[in-house]
Amino acid sequence: MENEINIDKENREQLLAYDLIAHTNSSFFLTGRAGTGKTTFLHRVQQTVPKQFITLAPTGVAAILAGGETIHSFFGLPLETCEPGTCGKMNEAKILALVHADTIIIDEVSMVRCDIVDAVDFTMRQVLRSTAPFGGKQIVFVGDMFQLPPVVQKGAETELMRDIYHTNTFYFFKAFALRRIRMVKIEFQKVYRQDDPVFRTILDHVRLNRVTPDDIASLNTRVAKPKDNDGTITLVPTNRAADDINCQRLNSLTGEEHIYEGAINGKFENKRLPVSQKLCLKVGAQVMFTRNDTQHRWANGTIATVCHLSDDGIEVTIPSGETYAVPCCTWDAVDYAYDHKEHKLKKNVTGSFTQYPLKLAWAITIHKSQGMTFDKLYLNLSSASIFAVGQLYVALSRVRTLGGLFLSRCVPPQYARTSREIIAYSIRYNDAKAIESEVKSGKAVYKDLRAYNYDCAAHRYLSLIRDHAANGDIKEAAILARSFFETVIDDRHLYGSIQRPSSDLISSQHYVVRFLAAILCLYADDTVTALHLIDDVLEQRQNRNALYIKSRCLARLGRYDEADSVNATLGNGIDLAMPDAKSLYMIAVINELHTQDPGLLLMQKLLRAKPKYDHGIVVLRNLMKHKCISLTMPSGERSNIEKAFNSDASDEEFAEMLSKAREDVPKSVVALRRDISRIDFTQYE
């Protein structure tokens, strides 16, 4: 597969990132300095890996260039600060797209605020009816934290964010949601853009707050004014400064001005236009391509000079000397929808914008230069007071060589600054042990999770927990335990599936170790020891998963009334909009079979939350038989699987029929699930 997507075989980080996307459901952060090929890599992966991808970005232009939607648009988030518990308003089409997506890519994540990440997490858990972070979907955060930071309005918004997150910075990794997962960080290190080793070293030092006097001296040798009309682009901090320079230079040219009007069809917001709707040009104007050419004659960011204009078209000369007629391009505004016939996630084009992929380019802003590459660059430092953290690095890293860089004045050392938080965060990039463990555990459960075999996946997690605990890697075992509890639903098949943990593990006084020992003892069928250990844990720290283990211990010992009492405490914390599947299952079964309390309603909610969990349908069928309840269906519309639901077939026989029906006649299973969800179980309480 690596050969098919043309991965650099000597680029270890690319291989690891590919493994995580293609063979796991693990969320992770993909980063890399400018020119390391992040965008190219992701495009190749999406074209090759047989997954359903949704690509999102924080701004309209970034979304258009990435071929996706904005985060706010897709999740229906408000434009103001998203306080904890903010849930987006998604229509049915977006919900279906999200349900059937495998991987969500969030690009340019350096500009995404932590409150947005938390709102995305909460919305996904609500929509997908899951307690797992981001509803159990894989999220790939992509971006360079050393580049442009998120924007928070000064005043009330900043104060509110400080009150929520207790920080003065609001990077995406400050989100509460990310504290619940082990999110490994892969940094692409091989630079494809800059070939000059001296210049690369200077850029690294600027990036990491390690600038030396020699670095500053080397940069300041480039204080010079470039020659006119040599293809140099000027970078400035503000839109106004860029517009002023471009208008001035265009007006200075003699000759007739030609105006080319772009065409908007359907729904395409003005703020998302990748180029101006009204393109004003003269012969001799310096322009920049804003899109890669399908014939590879130019790339996004290539500088050119207009050499001929007419009503029928535009011709430009690129730096290599070749002259080309520039074709119009069309950018699509898209949203995601699920195609029921093809069972695939598809992009629906809601509108389009057609225009020449050119913009005046004597000057552009540093913000808009992010992601572009230039041969010659003039950095205007006259408005130095508004330089933000990371802006100098973004500007300098746009050019290929030190010789292609020109400065308006000397760079003050204080401009080469980077957030200390970002530097601290980057120390944990490419943690080999953590990444290797995530790949290993992710691969172990991936096929089961793809097939909705939650309980089989849980067994694999349990085996990994046992192995890591036995080897003394308690931290890794604890991380996997969290994944275990988010995955398992019916744990009955796990009893006796592993060996009893060592006495050293059981005798430890640390509550985390005792918690792990309790889990392992329970599923090793040493229930008495497990109960003793978990009681010790609960004395030190109340925990929902610890309560779950205690209830399972009591149930295994036949102490159902005591288990029911624990379940009452556990159930009080269950949000039925995002149900804890394992707790719902356990409480439903214990209530219905052992404590004479109604459990069918809870089992019904579980099926709504996990519609492809066939074992849940089998169990609900059993519980209904226990109450002598039959599934009623309109005559003449019964499928074979609906008839089998009311038959005397054994659990094994019915499960086999259900599996076959899901493969051969999936609509019949949907109909069965719909009929089950319509039953009013309250009349049987």
Side-chain angles (χ1 to χ4, degrees):
M1 186 66 76
E2 286 83 0
N3 291 333
E4 294 181 27
I5 65 166
N6 194 28
I7 287 179
D8 185 347
K9 294 180 180 179
E10 297 182 359
N11 192 326
R12 181 174 178 273
E13 289 77 27
Q14 278 197 11
L15 294 172
L16 289 170
Y18 174 77
D19 255 354
L20 282 170
I21 293 176
H23 304 131
T24 81
N25 195 48
S26 302
S27 297
F28 68 101
F29 174 43
L30 175 60
T31 187
R33 66 202 71 189
T36 51
K38 299 185 296 294
T39 301
T40 302
F41 170 81
L42 287 170
H43 284 162
R44 289 172 177 172
V45 166
Q46 290 183 72
Q47 291 167 0
T48 310
V49 174
K51 279 187 172 185
Q52 306 281 340
F53 292 91
I54 290 175
T55 301
L56 305 173
T59 68
V61 173
I64 292 295
L65 295 176
E69 286 191 67
T70 65
I71 300 169
H72 283 78
S73 171
F74 183 81
F75 289 108
L77 299 177
L79 295 178
E80 64 267 18
T81 302
C82 296
E83 298 184 54
T86 297
C87 187
K89 297 179 180 179
M90 300 181 70
N91 59 34
E92 186 178 352
K94 296 286 177 65
I95 290 172
L96 276 173
L98 182 60
V99 167
H100 292 281
D102 298 301
T103 300
I104 315 297
I105 296 173
I106 298 183
D107 204 4
E108 300 289 2
V109 75
S110 71
M111 296 187 287
V112 179
R113 300 189 325 218
C114 49
D115 64 314
I116 303 301
V117 175
D118 279 331
V120 167
D121 167 62
F122 189 81
T123 302
M124 291 180 71
R125 287 188 286 121
Q126 286 275 347
V127 168
L128 300 171
R129 297 185 178 183
S130 171
T131 55
F134 303 101
K137 298 289 185 180
Q138 181 182 53
I139 310 289
V140 182
F141 298 97
V142 185
D144 184 2
M145 298 309 299
F146 290 91
Q147 297 193 33
L148 301 174
V151 176
V152 180
Q153 299 298 322
K154 293 181 179 179
E157 186 175 56
T158 297
E159 292 302 315
L160 177 59
M161 292 283 287
R162 282 175 180 165
D163 191 51
I164 295 171
Y165 291 98
H166 306 290
T167 180
N168 291 317
T169 58
F170 309 106
Y171 299 110
F172 87 100
F173 56 80
K174 297 293 186 72
F176 298 129
L178 299 184
R179 300 177 188 179
R180 298 179 58 214
I181 61 175
R182 190 252 308 274
M183 191 176 68
V184 298
K185 309 166 190 69
I186 295 180
E187 181 187 31
F188 286 179
Q189 295 183 313
K190 185 175 180 179
V191 179
Y192 298 94
R193 180 179 294 164
Q194 284 91 14
D195 297 324
D196 181 350
V198 175
F199 188 42
R200 244 188 355 238
T201 299
I202 294 173
L203 290 177
D204 285 346
H205 288 174
V206 172
R207 177 183 172 92
L208 299 173
N209 264 359
R210 297 174 183 171
V211 175
T212 67
D214 287 343
D215 295 330
I216 295 296
S218 295
L219 287 173
N220 290 338
T221 63
R222 302 307 304 162
V223 175
K225 189 120 174 139
K227 297 178 181 178
D228 288 338
N229 303 318
D230 69 343
T232 303
I233 191 164
T234 299
L235 289 194
V236 292
T238 66
N239 284 311
R240 176 176 288 184
D243 291 342
D244 287 347
I245 293 171
N246 286 327
C247 287
Q248 183 183 358
R249 295 293 297 271
L250 185 67
N251 292 335
S252 70
L253 296 175
T254 59
E256 182 184 358
E257 184 176 271
H258 287 69
I259 299 175
Y260 300 90
E261 290 275 359
I264 295 178
N265 293 305
K267 184 180 177 182
F268 204 112
E269 298 177 22
N270 284 333
K271 64 182 181 182
R272 302 180 70 178
L273 294 177
V275 295
S276 176
Q277 188 173 3
K278 183 181 289 187
L279 179 62
C280 302
L281 296 176
K282 293 181 181 179
V283 172
Q286 181 168 293
V287 293
M288 179 178 68
F289 284 96
T290 61
R291 191 161 176 171
N292 294 332
D293 179 45
T294 56
Q295 300 180 39
H296 307 291
R297 294 170 295 180
W298 55 78
N300 180 26
T302 297
I303 300 298
T305 302
V306 176
C307 59
H308 180 74
L309 296 171
S310 69
D311 293 340
D312 297 325
I314 301 170
E315 292 183 14
V316 300
T317 302
I318 64 175
S320 61
E322 290 101 338
T323 296
Y324 297 108
V326 181
C328 280
C329 286
T330 297
W331 291 264
D332 292 329
V334 303
D335 63 14
Y336 290 91
Y338 184 69
D339 190 310
H340 291 274
K341 292 183 178 179
E342 297 188 19
H343 303 292
K344 287 184 178 180
L345 200 62
K346 288 194 171 182
K347 293 180 181 180
N348 287 331
V349 177
T350 60
S352 64
F353 172 62
T354 301
Q355 177 63 289
Y356 291 99
L358 299 170
K359 63 170 50 177
L360 291 175
W362 286 286
I364 64 170
T365 65
I366 296 170
H367 274 75
K368 290 181 179 176
S369 75
Q370 190 162 312
M372 296 178 176
T373 305
F374 308 114
D375 291 318
K376 295 180 181 180
L377 184 153
Y378 179 61
L379 180 57
N380 189 335
L381 296 168
S382 59
S383 301
S385 62
I386 66 170
F387 259 63
V389 171
Q391 235 179 342
L392 181 65
Y393 173 73
V394 173
L396 295 177
S397 60
R398 298 309 94 197
V399 67
R400 298 182 189 276
T401 64
L402 185 61
L405 174 68
F406 300 90
L407 302 174
S408 64
R409 66 184 182 92
C410 292
V411 177
Q414 63 266 29
Y415 293 173
R417 69 192 192 279
T418 303
S419 165
R420 295 185 182 275
E421 284 186 277
I422 296 300
I423 293 173
Y425 188 69
S426 71
I427 293 173
R428 299 188 292 273
Y429 290 172
N430 294 338
D431 183 329
K433 184 180 178 181
I435 295 171
E436 181 184 347
S437 184
E438 193 64 40
V439 171
K440 181 181 177 181
S441 61
K443 282 185 173 181
V445 303
Y446 178 61
K447 287 184 179 179
D448 288 326
L449 290 177
R450 290 272 289 180
Y452 305 100
N453 293 329
Y454 303 109
D455 303 324
C456 291
H459 183 256
R460 297 185 190 277
Y461 275 130
L462 185 63
S463 299
L464 290 168
I465 294 168
R466 175 203 61 201
D467 293 344
H468 282 286
N471 293 328
D473 191 352
I474 301 302
K475 181 180 178 181
E476 185 63 29
I479 290 170
L480 293 170
R482 182 183 295 174
S483 299
F484 167 81
F485 283 114
E486 288 171 348
T487 304
V488 68
I489 300 179
D490 179 9
D491 65 356
R492 290 177 300 174
H493 72 295
L494 298 176
Y495 297 118
S497 66
I498 59 172
Q499 293 180 342
R500 188 176 185 272
S502 67
S503 56
D504 290 345
L505 201 69
I506 295 172
S507 61
S508 172
Q509 296 305 304
H510 194 283
Y511 80 93
V512 174
V513 182
R514 292 181 79 77
F515 180 58
L516 290 171
I519 298 170
L520 298 174
C521 283
L522 172 64
Y523 296 114
D525 261 345
D526 186 355
T527 311
V528 173
T529 302
L531 182 59
H532 170 71
L533 289 166
I534 209 66
D535 276 337
D536 284 351
V537 170
L538 287 168
E539 284 184 10
Q540 296 183 60
R541 191 166 297 193
Q542 289 288 308
N543 178 284
R544 287 178 64 184
N545 289 328
L547 287 171
Y548 173 80
I549 292 297
K550 181 170 182 175
S551 177
R552 301 311 284 147
C553 289
L554 293 168
R556 288 288 288 171
L557 296 171
R559 296 158 59 178
Y560 296 112
D561 289 339
E562 293 175 75
D564 186 51
S565 178
V566 175
N567 289 346
T569 304
L570 191 58
N572 289 334
I574 295 177
D575 181 356
L576 292 179
M578 304 181 282
D580 182 332
K582 69 181 184 301
S583 298
L584 274 184
Y585 179 93
M586 175 190 67
I587 297 171
V589 173
I590 289 179
N591 282 8
E592 196 62 48
L593 299 181
H594 301 293
T595 64
Q596 307 308 307
D597 291 321
L600 286 167
L601 281 169
L602 294 175
M603 205 65 201
Q604 192 180 50
K605 292 182 184 296
L606 172 63
L607 285 187
R608 289 170 180 164
K610 301 288 185 182
K612 294 189 178 182
Y613 182 55
D614 286 349
H615 181 61
I617 298 176
V618 176
V619 173
L620 181 58
R621 174 175 178 262
N622 256 325
L623 296 183
M624 288 173 63
K625 284 190 173 186
H626 180 71
K627 277 268 179 56
C628 299
I629 304 171
S630 296
L631 182 65
T632 57
M633 299 157 288
S635 59
E637 296 183 13
R638 298 185 181 184
S639 66
N640 288 335
I641 192 61
E642 288 176 312
K643 294 175 184 176
F645 189 91
N646 286 333
S647 73
D648 294 328
S650 68
D651 289 350
E652 292 77 13
E653 291 170 335
F654 178 73
E656 188 176 340
M657 285 187 276
L658 186 61
S659 177
K660 193 171 188 308
R662 193 176 286 283
E663 186 176 336
D664 297 341
V665 197
K667 287 184 178 179
S668 68
V669 181
V670 173
L672 172 65
R673 201 175 67 242
R674 183 190 61 225
D675 291 336
I676 293 172
S677 68
R678 291 174 176 171
I679 300 174
D680 181 12
F681 286 120
T682 57
Q683 61 183 306
Y684 301 103
E685 295 182 8

